[in-house]
Amino acid sequence: MVRMLPMSTFRPLSLSSSAAPLIRLSAARLSGSGDGGGGAANPSRRIALFHLGSAIPQAHLFGIKTPKMLRTDGNVIEAATGGSMAQASTAVTQEGALEWVKKDNRRLLHVVYRVGDLDKTIKFYTECLGMKLLRKRDISEERYTNAFLGYGPEDSHFVVELTYNYGVDKYDIGTGFGHFGIAVEDVTKTVDLIKAKGGKVTREPGPVKGGNTVIAFVEDPDGYKFELLERGPTPEPLCQVMLRVGDLDRSINFYEKAFGMELLRKRDNPEYKYTIAMMGYGPEDKSTVLELTYNYGVTEYDKGNAYAQIAIGTDDVYKSAEAVRLFGGKVTREPGPLPGINTKITACLDPDGWKSVFVDNIDFAKELSDL
């Protein structure tokens, strides 16, 4: 006859005490053949083994065959129990994720936002800002059209992806989005051209406050701001995307660890009560960077419905999604292929709710070659 034990009999082994002894779990004990009387194995040992094993699959994702807290020797599994096992396994997995993220082949691909009149916007970008229309696609069954514009081909340059949704002629930009940056050799000349074409200039050319770089601000037909920065020749004229954040240190930590970006510089301007951090995958004068802005005392912003996301190339969308989870982000689209084109992507939000999409590098290259 089998005697059922009440639930109170099961007392899970605590793994959080720093004074707990080393746990030694043998296969014989777990099978019940080594308990001296042929009875069932201690349930707490089964629970302990379950928790130890549950940390391994996530670690394997980043190439860690065995967590540092585990050591296998024949039929024996040993684990030091100083501190929480869950915390230890997470730390090991984060270490593997950090190493992988730094080695991943990442590049900012494009920025996506919505416009109310696609032809009018294309005209402004090509005639006033000097961009080229790279491609245009109409998805009539889903009632939208995309246009890709930039200063060079998509396989080597950062570009803008404009989205026009049928029948929608106006969007709310909100207060969180800041501006796009464009490097030009002569800001005054560019501003004069924009004025001649009927464009809107919101800041006349002049030195930046507290510095020597000549800048100006203009707006496109939908009200998106562009900062013109006077620089020498550069391989990446579309050089900045500025977003406002509520906790700059938190954002820097997230983009360094989850996205593998480098903090290129940080500048505090107490006179005007703001701090900026430039982050990216290469130097500011040769690549596009993310400019994060913190305004003293402001922790939240209205994101509106105009700005959408940044796309980033990666060698593995599955590992990218896991790294985002590990370092405080939220995955909003699980990694996998897009229906119809089979390009693998994953979408996520940073701690402030700004959206990014990771795109498989090989799939993206194939998508471009098939155009």
Side-chain angles (χ1 to χ4, degrees), residues 73-116:
D73 182 13
N75 292 325
V76 178
I77 297 176
E78 296 186 351
T81 58
S84 166
M85 299 303 296
Q87 290 177 351
S89 65
T90 299
V92 171
T93 308
Q94 286 183 344
E95 181 181 336
L98 279 172
E99 183 178 351
W100 179 82
V101 166
K102 289 178 181 178
K103 294 178 180 178
D104 190 23
N105 183 28
R106 295 188 172 182
R107 178 176 73 86
L108 296 180
L109 303 178
H110 51 254
V111 60
V112 185
Y113 51 103
R114 303 171 183 94
V115 298

Side-chain angles (χ1 to χ4, degrees), residues 329-349:
K330 179 181 180 181
V331 174
T332 57
R333 187 195 190 281
E334 291 298 325
L338 284 170
I341 60 175
N342 292 322
T343 297
K344 293 184 288 295
I345 71 164
T346 186
C348 63
L349 302 178

